[in-house]
Amino acid sequence: VISEVNFADSSINIAPVITNIAIDRNGDTLSVKADAVDDNNNSDLTYAWSFTAKSFVDAATNPATLTAFEDGTTGTLNVVVTDSEGAETNASYAVASNQFPDITAPSITSITPNDNASDVAVDSVITIEFNEAVQSSSITSNSVIVSDGINAVAGTLNSTGSTVTFTPTNELNYEANYIVTVTADVKDVSGNNLTAGVVSGFGTDVEIVMPTEGLLLHYTFDNVIGNTVYSEVGDYNGTL
């Protein structure tokens, strides 16, 4: 004898359940990912991330990315997970940078002039871009060196954030080759060294020398009609 029958109420929409939050730090970038399950026929889930101290680059994606998560950053991380029926759940976590120490080595993204570049202007400034901010104290004449292959070039180093520049004291020589060396002594703001040094090279352009002997004539033309030009003095008219 069947005394009782229970039927599930299909009209009840059960909110998703967050099962895990994964957080990974790489330099000043924090990546977060939520794992969630939904009992409503595995409906599509949407994600909305927020952090009280910083803004997400892609707050509506999963995983999501938080930039400028430098040392000393603290705040509350929050994620809202919503299913296709509108049922939602959220989770919040107190997050501090010291919980996720940066242990990733910095890397060089570009050196200008480019490696093997030619015809580089002799008054060029050498620029080195890193993927994250570097310690200014690690940028020295021993860690960033510009040379002609034998002697170091005199100049001024400047470090701002992830950019390092070298400005030669004097113009470089024409038709000369130069080497830019960045050693593994360069550190990011968390104290991580470059994994290995980087070497790049370039050549300068050819000097254009004006003749010092002979006659040079200069005429200023003040009128053009059709393809005929007329000089100011009227004696050197001609056809273009």
Side-chain angles (χ1 to χ4, degrees):
V1 177
I2 300 176
S3 61
E4 183 179 357
V5 177
N6 293 320
F7 295 96
D9 186 352
S10 60
S11 65
I12 299 176
N13 184 24
I14 302 173
V17 176
I18 299 173
T19 59
N20 184 62
I21 299 289
I23 302 176
D24 179 62
R25 183 182 180 189
N26 184 356
D28 290 344
T29 299
L30 197 73
S31 298
V32 294
K33 183 179 184 297
D35 294 327
V37 295
D38 182 62
D39 290 335
N40 301 300
N41 299 319
N42 296 317
S43 62
D44 292 334
L45 301 177
T46 60
Y47 298 82
W49 295 90
S50 63
F51 187 61
T52 53
K54 303 287 182 178
S55 297
F56 274 90
V57 175
D58 43 10
T61 64
N62 189 53
T65 302
L66 182 72
T67 58
F69 191 81
E70 60 269 359
D71 288 344
T73 300
T74 60
T76 301
L77 175 69
N78 186 75
V79 59
V80 178
V81 183
T82 307
D83 68 17
S84 58
E85 300 299 322
E88 65 180 40
T89 188
N90 69 83
S92 296
Y93 303 89
V95 175
S97 59
N98 58 9
Q99 295 173 287
F100 312 96
D102 175 18
I103 59 173
T104 304
S107 61
I108 295 174
T109 57
S110 68
I111 297 179
T112 306
N114 297 330
D115 190 27
N116 295 319
S118 59
D119 299 326
V120 173
V122 295
D123 60 352
S124 294
V125 173
I126 290 84
T127 302
I128 306 164
E129 294 286 352
F130 295 84
N131 68 327
E132 59 176 311
V134 295
Q135 287 184 12
S136 296
S137 60
S138 72
I139 305 302
T140 70
S141 58
N142 293 320
S143 62
V144 178
I145 307 154
V146 179
S147 74
D148 60 7
I150 300 175
N151 299 310
V153 176
T156 302
L157 282 165
N158 183 66
S159 175
T160 304
S162 60
T163 302
V164 173
T165 59
F166 177 84
T167 304
T169 302
N170 302 306
E171 287 189 345
L172 302 174
N173 294 325
Y174 286 98
E175 298 183 73
N177 294 319
Y178 289 91
I179 300 171
V180 180
T181 303
V182 184
T183 74
D185 294 324
V186 175
K187 299 180 179 181
D188 65 16
V189 293
S190 296
N192 301 304
N193 290 75
L194 279 175
T195 302
V198 175
V199 177
S200 181
F202 64 90
T204 54
D205 58 11
V206 177
E207 183 177 13
I208 299 176
V209 180
M210 295 297 293
T212 57
E213 297 181 358
L215 180 63
L216 297 178
L217 299 178
H218 300 273
Y219 296 103
T220 301
F221 293 94
D222 62 349
N223 194 11
V224 179
I225 299 176
N227 61 354
T228 302
V229 294
Y230 299 89
S231 73
E232 290 181 337
V233 295
D235 297 330
Y236 300 98
N237 304 324
T239 301
L240 292 174

